[in-house]
Amino acid sequence: MAAPPQPLAQAAVLPEVAAVHWRPRVDERHLRRVGAFWTLTTVAHVVPFTLAAAGLMALQPLALPVALACIAHAWVIPELYAQRGANVLRSHGRAADEPERRSVGLLGDLVGHEARELHARTGLVLEPGGLGVWLIGEAGALLLPLRGRKAYCYCVKVDGRHAEAAALPAGDRTAHLLLALRSDEQGFATVANLSFAGARWRVRRRLRKPQRPAIAAAVGMLDRGSSDPL
Amino acid sequence: MSKLIRMDQTGHSTLAEWTVADPAAVEAAVETFRGELDRGYLAMVSTGPGHAEQVRELPIDADLVILRLPISGG
């Protein structure tokens, strides 16, 4: 006979965390520290190029083309980082129609009406958590933390070492991430690889147009201070 | 009727269905459940809006048990 329900523990740790045991468990403090590091990195890229452009112009106005190239570098490098962040929410191809329909149906059963409707429009699932509001895609997730105006872009997906992983339809790939997130949010963020942390507006600009309303919905949820799932 | 489903290439497959009042069905579901865990799947049950829990034994009173594959950083 089957045993009675036996959850791992009250505060169960995602088993996948064992594979990245050297990483510190992600919490609000860790997010702030990582966010500050990314800000410093951006400053370290932007300021020298900007100063170089200004210096060149002060020394020799004929150096305008070089100064403009410096300014372009100062702009492009953070944009490339933001693009890398936005890429975590890219879709990864479709399976046949029927599996896709069934997988989206299951995903829809896991979330509420509003989240289902948002997923239909954007391909992303909006999920409130303790660290902030998440947008979950097929192979990544974006976290808008409770405080600040940053976005944290995480690359995380169904483990490709399992042969079945490659054939999963899109809805199932998202549902895998959603269930893992719901069981251990901090563990989920620990397992995932951080691709980018920076200004929300920068990430939003780099998302595909149909996905952008999902950011607005997440910000709206943060502004309402809602912790209720959609 | 409780269900054990696995997310797979078909969208999802129902592997077992049971009611607490049917010991044979429960036994079959438990066997299937353990077999899937041995294959590397993780079992999840929803524990309320926005919450899920991993289980290592089949919770026979749960309405829905979902089998998922492990995740990893991309």
Side-chain angles (χ1 to χ4, degrees):
Chain A
M1 283 292 292
Q6 288 184 1
L8 283 179
Q10 201 59 37
V13 174
L14 205 65
E16 293 93 327
V17 171
V20 289
H21 56 85
W22 62 88
R23 291 185 181 174
R25 192 165 166 81
V26 171
D27 55 15
E28 278 193 64
R29 193 159 155 250
H30 177 86
L31 285 176
R32 279 198 302 275
R33 201 166 54 237
V34 169
F37 173 78
W38 274 88
T39 301
L40 278 175
T41 304
T42 304
V43 168
H45 282 113
V46 171
V47 170
F49 279 116
T50 307
L51 289 178
L56 281 170
M57 288 306 294
L59 290 172
Q60 176 51 271
L62 286 176
L64 177 65
V66 182
L68 288 176
C70 287
I71 295 292
H73 274 84
W75 176 255
V76 165
I77 290 173
E79 288 295 301
L80 288 175
Y81 277 118
Q83 182 66 61
R84 191 174 77 157
N87 282 348
V88 305
L89 296 182
R90 277 200 344 209
S91 60
H92 286 248
R94 289 284 175 272
D97 286 348
E98 181 59 14
E100 287 294 347
R101 191 189 61 76
R102 283 170 62 83
S103 71
V104 169
L106 175 62
L107 180 61
D109 289 343
L110 295 174
V111 298
H113 173 71
E114 283 181 61
R116 201 157 44 229
E117 191 272 332
L118 186 72
H119 177 263
R121 283 192 292 132
T122 66
L124 303 174
V125 169
L126 183 62
E127 179 73 7
L131 296 173
V133 174
W134 293 84
L135 288 169
I136 307 168
E138 298 169 30
L142 195 122
L143 170 66
L144 304 188
L146 297 171
R147 279 178 279 280
R149 303 185 64 81
K150 277 192 166 56
Y152 294 75
C153 305
Y154 289 99
C155 197
V156 56
K157 59 186 179 183
V158 181
D159 194 336
R161 286 173 293 185
H162 292 262
E164 297 94 331
L168 286 172
D172 275 357
R173 290 197 288 268
T174 305
H176 272 77
L177 302 186
L178 177 67
L179 286 171
L181 171 66
R182 283 181 173 179
S183 68
D184 177 14
E185 181 185 9
Q186 290 177 272
F188 177 84
T190 304
V191 168
N193 291 339
L194 184 66
S195 295
F196 175 72
R200 286 179 203 163
W201 64 267
R202 214 183 269 284
V203 177
R204 185 185 175 280
R205 277 163 38 91
R206 291 288 152 187
L207 289 176
R208 290 187 303 111
K209 266 190 181 171
Q211 292 181 321
R212 291 177 193 168
I215 294 260
V219 171
M221 180 178 269
L222 278 173
D223 289 346
R224 288 196 306 272
S226 171
S227 59
D228 299 329
L230 286 178
Chain B
M1 180 74 83
S2 301
K3 276 187 182 180
L4 173 66
I5 67 170
R6 179 186 63 204
M7 291 191 278
D8 57 24
Q9 73 277 8
T10 69
H12 61 269
S13 303
T14 301
L15 304 181
E17 291 180 314
W18 70 93
T19 59
V20 177
D22 184 350
V26 169
E27 193 61 39
V30 168
E31 285 302 309
T32 306
F33 178 87
R34 288 179 179 155
E36 294 299 317
L37 261 52
D38 288 344
R39 290 181 59 214
Y41 277 88
L42 303 170
M44 312 295 299
V45 289
S46 282
T47 52
H51 296 282
E53 239 171 353
Q54 189 202 352
V55 290
R56 286 179 171 161
E57 297 290 342
L58 184 70
I60 58 172
D61 52 352
D63 290 333
L64 181 64
V65 181
I66 302 175
L67 294 163
R68 71 167 177 88
L69 290 166
I71 61 166
S72 64

